[in-house]
Amino acid sequence: MITTEQREKLRGWFAGRLPDDLFEELVEVTTDREEITVVGRVPEPRLDEDAPAAEREAAVQGRIQEFRERTRDTRIAVARDAEHRFGRKVSWGVECGPERALFTHVAAPVMTRLRQPERQVLDTLIAGGVARSRSDALAWCVRLVQRHTDDWLAELRESLEHVQRVRAQGPDAEPEDSPADEE
């Protein structure tokens, strides 16, 4: 679990390390144990206001592809520095208009033990064509929970940060100089 301060330092490092002209705006820097994902905004293509939806969609996709190819060497150099510094892989994404696209990113395996009723849920999702495998079905379930519990998960993360701060003040913490020590 990463604290708010660590998240702010990570975002700050990327804000300082990324070339000013890479993104219009640094939208998001997220991390977990395996990966750091950096998402920035790129300018939308200029089109007539009455351009058809299909043309807009194709233009946005083209802009995203152009950005990905043009900035590959720069992103690799930044990722190499970040991976050395933070010990995690770096993945990239962009927002262009309403579209969000993530480039190559980590799909980390997660092992779990499930009892029969839980496996039956996954198997039902497979039989219903929602997922191709138990792994896909479990990922689908996680995304569903994530979508419907964002507020609850945010509150839980805040609570975990508080627990980490309290632990850091425990008996094994480095003592800070206090006014009594100065006398």
Side-chain angles (χ1 to χ4, degrees), residues 7-19:
R7 192 172 15 262
E8 290 168 354
K9 286 181 178 180
L10 183 68
R11 182 180 174 88
W13 186 88
F14 275 97
R17 177 62 179 83
L18 293 174

Side-chain angles (χ1 to χ4, degrees), residues 62-82:
R63 175 61 51 91
I64 290 169
Q65 188 64 35
E66 183 277 333
F67 170 86
R68 185 176 185 186
E69 292 169 10
R70 175 176 46 84
T71 63
R72 182 172 280 121
D73 291 340
T74 301
R75 290 183 294 106
I76 287 171
V78 172
R80 202 174 283 132
D81 289 350

Side-chain angles (χ1 to χ4, degrees), residues 156-168:
L156 180 60
R157 287 183 188 107
E158 289 173 14
S159 296
L160 289 171
E161 287 180 21
H162 178 71
V163 168
Q164 288 180 336
R165 284 192 302 272
V166 171
R167 281 185 184 152

Side-chain angles (χ1 to χ4, degrees), residues 23-107:
F23 297 123
E24 282 186 329
E25 172 190 5
L26 181 59
V27 175
E28 175 179 273
V29 178
T30 57
T31 189
D32 64 10
R33 288 184 281 182
E34 292 84 20
E35 174 182 33
I36 299 168
T37 303
V38 180
V39 179
R41 184 172 318 287
V42 297
E44 289 186 64
R46 291 190 196 116
L47 298 171
D48 291 336
E49 286 184 30
D50 58 344
E55 183 178 337
R56 286 190 182 285
E57 184 178 330
V60 166
Q61 292 302 319
R63 175 61 51 91
I64 290 169
Q65 188 64 35
E66 183 277 333
F67 170 86
R68 185 176 185 186
E69 292 169 10
R70 175 176 46 84
T71 63
R72 182 172 280 121
D73 291 340
T74 301
R75 290 183 294 106
I76 287 171
V78 172
R80 202 174 283 132
D81 289 350
E83 289 170 6
H84 178 72
R85 181 179 179 110
F86 301 110
R88 295 175 174 98
K89 292 291 183 190
V90 177
S91 299
W92 299 91
V94 294
E95 288 184 358
C96 183
E99 186 73 26
R100 183 182 194 130
L102 292 177
F103 306 149
T104 306
H105 50 280
V106 175

Side-chain angles (χ1 to χ4, degrees), residues 114-116 118-126 131-141:
L114 300 176
R115 300 204 186 305
Q116 187 178 40
E118 297 153 337
R119 293 190 310 267
Q120 288 174 333
V121 169
L122 301 180
D123 293 342
T124 301
L125 292 172
I126 294 167
R132 293 184 314 265
S133 65
R134 284 181 172 175
S135 177
D136 285 345
L138 188 56
W140 184 90
C141 291

